[in-house]
Amino acid sequence: MNKLANAVAAIALVGTPVFAAEIPVKAPPPAPAPVYSWTGLYVGGNVGYSWGNADADVVGNATTVVFPTFLGGFPNNSVAVAGSNTAKLNGASGGGQVGYNYQFSPRWVLGFEADIQDSGERGGNTFTAPFSTTVCTLAAAGPPGVPVVFPHNGPPTCLLTGTLNGTAATTYDAKINWFGTVRGRVGGLITDQILVYGTGGLAFGRVEVSGVTGVSGSINTNAALTPSANAFSDSRTKVGFAVGGGVEGKISYGMGWTWKLEYLYVDLGSLDTIGPFPGASVNPPGLGLITSPFSGTITTHTHFTDNILRVGLNYQFH
């Protein structure tokens, strides 16, 4: 009887239908992580520190005439001045930027960026440049061997010369008041969230230089020049170039914020200021001799370069 019951139960199980809910189903694969697109317009701000150079060169040429008070003048005695110096420019900078990126492959991004910056970079220095010339310190009336006829009967004869040694001392201050750039950018993606790029293009900015150059010296160490000084200054908007690079990263998915760390080298060109040579003069130790004040020009050439390290925050519009 038990054997018959077990057989009937086995037949009943075989005929029982299997429902879909009882069939095991494989879990679906996880959704792929979203891929960030770098294509789009962006705006942002930045702050950083700048350190640069104002390379100053001073070049001057002048003449002086030695006049015996009762004779004619001797020919011009010329002097030449040349010196150079570098003032360090340091200060904070900050501003804003706007740009556009185009991601043209899974790993490459091309774009452009324009920025404008306020700058607190200032610096100055003092340097000297020596000069020397020979002047007459003792004269006789008229040419050699010609009887003296007053007031005079020809150019005088120099009986004794001396060395005029002098120094041109320049004190100057230089500034970068503001600057901006318009640059191209090209970069590669380390991941879809991290971009490493190089950049380069046009730079422009307002640079300024001001100072004074003074002349002092003596003849044969015992006849001092009457010191004289002239001021110079100029301020202009100059155009140059900028090159650099940086790294930019996505802050989070679903939002358009990125951070960046960037370095730029900027060359803003030069300022030239041209003015009269300081009109120092001297009374040499001799028989009524005097020199005229120096007559000529002196040029100060100042070249501005800058290094900028800054951090920034951008918002990208998709």
Side-chain angles (χ1 to χ4, degrees), residues 268-293:
L268 290 174
S270 303
L271 283 181
D272 287 337
T273 62
I274 303 174
F277 198 94
S281 62
V282 68
N283 293 340
L287 183 60
L289 303 184
I290 62 173
T291 64
S292 69

Side-chain angles (χ1 to χ4, degrees), residues 138-153:
L138 183 62
V146 177
V148 175
V149 177
F150 286 98
H152 62 83
N153 60 345

Side-chain angles (χ1 to χ4, degrees), residues 75-243:
N76 289 342
N77 302 278
S78 61
V79 298
V81 173
S84 60
N85 184 259
T86 296
K88 299 298 183 182
L89 306 180
N90 300 283
S93 63
Q97 65 268 354
V98 60
Y100 185 86
N101 288 324
Y102 174 66
Q103 185 172 348
F104 60 92
S105 81
R107 285 286 177 249
W108 294 99
V109 175
L110 184 68
F112 74 89
E113 182 174 292
D115 68 278
I116 190 74
Q117 310 292 319
D118 187 31
S119 173
E121 290 180 83
R122 305 288 186 271
N125 221 336
T126 298
F127 66 103
T128 59
F131 61 87
S132 182
T133 190
T134 300
V135 297
C136 184
T137 59
L138 183 62
V146 177
V148 175
V149 177
F150 286 98
H152 62 83
N153 60 345
T157 300
C158 183
L159 302 178
L160 187 65
T161 61
T163 302
L164 191 161
N165 291 310
T167 299
T170 300
T171 298
Y172 70 105
D173 293 300
K175 304 176 183 178
I176 299 177
N177 294 314
W178 58 264
F179 65 91
T181 67
V182 179
R183 294 168 286 110
R185 299 203 315 169
V186 60
L189 293 168
I190 299 175
T191 72
D192 65 327
Q193 299 184 68
I194 302 293
L195 173 69
V196 176
Y197 63 89
T199 182
L202 182 74
F204 54 93
R206 190 77 174 181
V207 294
E208 180 180 340
V209 64
S210 62
V212 61
T213 297
V215 168
S216 61
S218 65
I219 296 179
N220 295 346
T221 73
N222 58 355
L225 283 170
T226 302
S228 179
N230 287 334
F232 59 90
S233 65
D234 199 5
S235 176
R236 297 178 186 270
T237 300
K238 304 293 289 185
V239 176
F241 67 90
V243 293

